Amino acid sequence: MPMRLDGRTALVTGATSNIGRAIAEAFAAEGAHVAVSGRSAERGKEVVDGIHARGGRADFVRADLDGSAAASQALAQGAARILGGRIDILVNNAGIYPANTTATTDEKTFDQVYAVNVKAPFFLTAAVAPAMVEAGGGAIINLGSWIARLGIPSALYSSTKGAVETLTRSWAAEFGPQGVRVNAISPGVVQTSAPGDVHPGEIMMKGTPAGQMGTPDAIANAAVYLAGDESSFVHGIVLDVDGGRTGVAVIAR
């Protein structure tokens, strides 16, 4: 059976743990050469070594996406070099989640969260998308969040993910006619729990069709779909992969 991303190259930000790692591993399993990006060289090596052990292709590119255009441009250039000169797929996954309430958020924290969660993917897309257009096409996948549309007391983070989802639609309008598809995934409560542990997120999934938290692999499977040819007619969507959390209420019986 042919691999769905065979011969393609991909850059995944925040790929050294959790959802980003699962996406990088899934892309490699489907034949892509993956640039695994993150801040920790040690964790990056672990991901790359694991992909190599399973017969995949991957290289680590260190990046501290602080929101500056220079940092995003440096990552785009470094990833393109190790991927043979082109990036076919970009996954804007890296992000930070502050624990602060509105009243306890200072200006430095506000600026940092917007820098990492909004400015960094904005300038990375600005650096990568034109080269995709020149090469004849590509796919960009952004990571939103279910709390961008279902309010919980996390105003700062939620607002950044709302911005990412709006950027997704705007970029689809801007780059889609030039051959670059732009879509987003909105993960639900996703966490890998240790055996025997009860994660607080389990409570948040009560009253949903799934009835339990999701795993990073569920998000990775959606990313493979949006990166591949099966979604060639899909532009500007936010794909909810959240166990029905935002769209469905299950009546308790």
Side-chain angles (χ1 to χ4, degrees):
M1 183 176 180
M3 291 185 285
R4 296 156 78 185
L5 302 178
D6 192 29
R8 300 184 198 182
T9 61
L11 167 59
V12 182
T13 69
T16 59
S17 64
N18 204 21
I19 290 173
R21 176 172 183 165
I23 291 173
E25 291 172 343
F27 281 6
E30 290 291 347
H33 181 186
V34 183
V36 173
S37 173
R39 290 177 294 179
S40 169
E42 181 179 358
R43 290 195 301 176
K45 183 178 185 301
E46 180 183 340
V47 176
V48 168
D49 287 350
I51 290 173
H52 289 170
R54 292 184 289 274
R57 298 182 66 197
D59 291 279
F60 176 68
V61 183
R62 189 184 182 283
D64 186 1
L65 293 174
D66 58 6
S68 67
S72 291
Q73 290 163 359
L75 173 57
Q77 293 166 2
R81 277 196 301 271
I82 68 165
L83 294 174
R86 75 180 200 277
I87 299 170
D88 299 319
I89 304 161
L90 168 63
V91 179
N92 286 310
N93 167 72
I96 55 176
Y97 187 108
N100 311 60
T101 64
T102 298
T104 60
T105 298
D106 57 27
E107 188 174 5
K108 179 180 179 182
T109 300
F110 184 99
D111 289 344
Q112 181 186 24
V113 175
Y114 262 84
V116 175
N117 292 6
V118 182
K119 285 183 66 179
F122 182 93
F123 286 114
L124 185 54
T125 298
V128 171
M132 288 181 171
V133 170
E134 187 175 344
I140 297 173
I141 303 167
N142 300 318
L143 270 292
S145 173
W146 65 280
I147 63 175
R149 278 166 289 131
L150 185 63
I152 70 168
S154 181
L156 180 56
Y157 180 80
S158 298
S159 67
T160 67
K161 289 304 181 178
V164 167
E165 293 189 2
T166 298
L167 285 171
T168 298
R169 290 183 285 270
S170 294
W171 284 335
E174 181 177 356
F175 298 116
Q178 302 175 79
V180 178
R181 294 186 303 106
V182 186
N183 294 289
I185 299 170
S186 178
V189 183
V190 174
Q191 184 71 40
T192 303
S193 298
D197 284 356
V198 178
H199 192 275
E202 295 285 2
I203 298 171
M204 302 176 77
M205 290 304 292
K206 290 185 180 297
T208 68
Q212 62 184 4
M213 295 188 299
T215 65
D217 287 344
I219 312 305
N221 290 336
V224 169
Y225 164 70
L226 290 176
D229 292 338
E230 295 101 329
S231 61
S232 61
F233 199 51
V234 179
H235 292 260
I237 71 159
V238 178
L239 179 59
D240 293 327
V241 187
D242 63 2
R245 186 68 180 86
T246 56
V248 184
V250 175
I251 306 301
R253 298 184 184 277

